Amino acid sequence: MAIFFSANAFGQRIHSDSQVILDNQKNPDIIEINQLWKDYLASSPDSLYNNPHWNKTEKEKFSSYDLLRSEGGLRLYSLAKDFSAVKNLVLSVKPIDDRHYDIHSMYYWMNPNDCPYILCTTHVLAFRDKSGKFVLGNWLPYYSRNWKTVNEGVITFHYQEYDRNNKKIKKVKEFLTFLDREFNVKIDHLDIFISNGFSQTQRLKGFGYDASETGVSDKDDLGATTDIYNNIIYSNSAMGEYYQHEMMRLIIPKYRNAHPLLLNGLAEYYSDTAVMRGVSFQEHFRRLDKFLGEHPDINLKEFDNFDSGNLTESNYLIGMVIIKLIDDRCGHQKILEALKTVHTDDDLRNLIDKELKISCDNIDSVLRALIKDYASNGFRGRQWR
């Protein structure tokens, strides 16, 4: 059962326009649904409360009932809240079967040169509830309605094309035990959706397009995300049931205020394969080492506060280096303490200075030297089993 909170006075109200024909519209449902959507976006969609515009079944099933709020990749409503200029434009409202309508809309802001920056396009359902009133619903249950579902204890696997892997299912169960034992994180339910690829995962979540596609790599179909509010992992057929990086994300609710570099570093530190997005750790470190060599002005005392485009995965790699430093010099217990106490860059610098005995003036040279070492010799984290 979901827990609801009161609508926050500071919740985000997103302005919505529509290019759908509303005047002299022959289908009155479209007019009603367009208004429903406009009202919903004006009702603080980033806030968790008993929103009357959303369907009751999903409000009872999901902790964060609008899955676009919590899907784990774009974090749409968080972006909309941070950038108050974000607007919504309804592109179409059309029936897709005898019960459901698809609301296809675009989130964007206007750049100073009057060119729109498009965050994403989304699909949300509208249908009549038992009272006959139109309500909103997620795209996920509709898109996956014909998928194969398999229950394994607290885990439910959803397959776009069924190809069960018992070894990976076993590893998922073992990793949940590891999270409970080492991080005191007990998962009471977990849904894993296994699509044919990341592009299909995006469709599953309700995205038609999102801005991350502008930086895709040749390994993009290995991408996945985790909804930490609802314990949903969006995996793909290449990774299958067991996607260790995403499973590690399940610790975030317990350590929500931890410094992002610690959480990102842990996501890969316990890797079975020393591969991220189809590329070896060593190759990732080579790219980062090369980039840093070309930019001597960057001071890693500021950690990952630099823009390397899509040339490197600096937010993960620098996090991995720091996690390994903590583990090697102080042990696992210090990692747990850091997750609870290290929130800001200053906190992290203080930990490195006081606990790791690396002065702030030396952080840049130490991190650069380690990155160069891992570029030459490869990186190995800790085995979790």
Side-chain angles (χ1 to χ4, degrees):
M1 177 71 69
I3 300 174
F4 297 115
F5 303 91
S6 297
N8 188 319
F10 300 100
Q12 175 66 14
R13 291 163 172 79
I14 302 173
H15 177 80
S16 180
D17 291 311
S18 179
Q19 66 179 30
V20 176
I21 294 174
L22 299 174
D23 293 336
N24 303 314
Q25 169 60 248
K26 65 183 178 181
N27 185 344
D29 289 353
I30 290 177
I31 299 174
E32 185 176 349
I33 291 168
N34 189 83
Q35 186 62 47
L36 167 68
W37 180 242
K38 184 174 183 177
D39 291 344
Y40 174 67
L41 291 182
S43 67
S44 304
D46 61 310
S47 300
L48 287 176
Y49 68 104
N50 191 9
N51 192 305
H53 305 301
W54 208 268
N55 76 86
K56 180 180 178 181
T57 299
E58 290 179 346
K59 285 191 291 187
E60 292 178 344
K61 179 178 181 180
F62 298 114
S63 295
S64 176
Y65 49 83
D66 181 347
L67 298 182
L68 289 174
R69 176 188 179 274
S70 55
E71 56 81 33
L74 188 62
R75 296 178 178 84
L76 174 61
Y77 297 140
S78 294
L79 278 175
K81 190 170 184 177
D82 292 340
F83 298 94
S84 58
V86 171
K87 296 181 179 181
N88 178 270
L89 176 66
V90 178
L91 303 175
S92 65
V93 177
K94 59 184 179 182
I96 51 177
D97 59 27
D98 58 1
R99 182 173 181 240
H100 296 92
Y101 282 80
D102 171 29
I103 305 169
H104 185 197
S105 65
M106 176 178 78
Y107 293 84
Y108 70 100
W109 69 69
M110 296 301 297
N111 284 320
N113 60 0
D114 289 331
C115 176
Y117 183 91
I118 300 171
L119 279 174
C120 63
T121 64
T122 63
H123 297 271
V124 174
L125 294 179
F127 54 89
R128 293 191 186 277
D129 63 12
K130 292 180 179 179
S131 72
K133 179 184 69 173
F134 273 110
V135 289
L136 300 172
N138 291 296
W139 190 253
L140 181 144
Y142 182 84
Y143 195 80
S144 64
R145 65 194 183 281
N146 295 321
W147 290 25
K148 173 77 172 179
T149 299
V150 176
N151 293 308
E152 290 282 344
V154 300
I155 313 160
T156 303
F157 297 96
H158 309 261
Y159 298 86
Q160 187 169 17
E161 292 185 9
Y162 183 59
D163 186 17
R164 179 188 178 100
N165 187 316
N166 288 323
K167 289 183 178 179
K168 289 187 175 182
I169 289 174
K170 181 181 178 183
K171 288 176 78 171
V172 172
K173 295 177 179 179
E174 291 173 346
F175 200 85
L176 290 182
T177 300
F178 162 76
L179 292 181
D180 187 13
R181 183 182 69 245
E182 300 296 332
F183 291 90
N184 196 27
V185 172
K186 190 171 185 63
I187 304 300
D188 58 6
H189 75 279
L190 177 64
D191 285 281
I192 301 178
F193 286 84
I194 304 165
S195 71
N196 289 343
F198 189 59
S199 59
Q200 285 296 306
T201 298
Q202 293 295 81
R203 303 296 88 79
L204 174 72
K205 293 187 291 185
F207 288 112
Y209 160 85
D210 81 70
S212 68
E213 294 183 28
T214 63
V216 297
S217 69
D218 55 354
K219 299 295 185 181
D220 183 61
D221 236 27
L222 296 177
T225 58
T226 299
D227 179 340
I228 59 174
Y229 290 86
N230 297 303
N231 285 356
I232 298 173
I233 291 177
Y234 298 100
S235 186
N236 55 67
S237 57
M239 301 302 294
E241 294 90 343
Y242 175 68
Y243 204 139
Q244 180 271 322
H245 175 111
E246 299 304 330
M247 292 197 69
M248 200 68 211
R249 293 306 201 185
L250 297 173
I251 74 169
I252 293 177
K254 183 176 179 65
Y255 303 104
R256 193 177 298 276
N257 296 320
H259 194 290
L261 279 179
L262 299 179
L263 295 171
N264 287 338
L266 282 170
E268 292 293 344
Y269 189 61
Y270 296 97
S271 173
D272 297 294
T273 61
V275 170
M276 179 167 54
R277 295 182 182 175
V279 178
S280 71
F281 286 172
Q282 184 170 6
E283 177 58 28
H284 279 297
F285 276 107
R286 283 173 180 163
R287 295 173 184 177
L288 179 57
D289 181 51
K290 181 175 183 292
F291 180 82
L292 292 174
E294 294 169 351
H295 294 83
D297 54 303
I298 292 174
N299 190 336
L300 293 184
K301 182 175 72 173
E302 304 300 326
F303 304 120
D304 64 335
N305 294 323
F306 57 88
D307 183 8
S308 60
N310 66 352
L311 290 174
T312 77
E313 301 283 352
S314 59
N315 56 331
Y316 290 110
L317 300 178
I318 294 173
M320 290 158 63
V321 174
I322 292 173
I323 287 292
K324 185 167 177 57
L325 272 170
I326 298 171
D327 198 19
D328 286 350
R329 298 192 181 190
C330 303
H332 177 73
Q333 189 60 38
K334 185 60 66 176
I335 293 175
L336 295 181
E337 291 177 17
L339 289 171
K340 295 176 182 177
T341 60
V342 176
H343 311 312
T344 67
D345 283 357
D346 283 340
D347 292 338
L348 188 53
R349 281 187 282 267
N350 186 61
L351 173 98
I352 292 172
D353 181 18
K354 299 293 191 284
E355 304 292 343
L356 305 185
K357 309 304 180 185
I358 300 170
S359 70
C360 286
D361 290 340
N362 290 330
I363 288 176
D364 180 66
S365 60
V366 170
L367 292 184
R368 282 177 178 264
L370 288 171
I371 290 166
K372 185 172 291 294
D373 177 48
Y374 300 140
S376 298
N377 302 309
F379 178 95
R380 277 288 176 183
R382 182 178 291 278
Q383 294 298 306
W384 59 270
R385 289 185 293 178

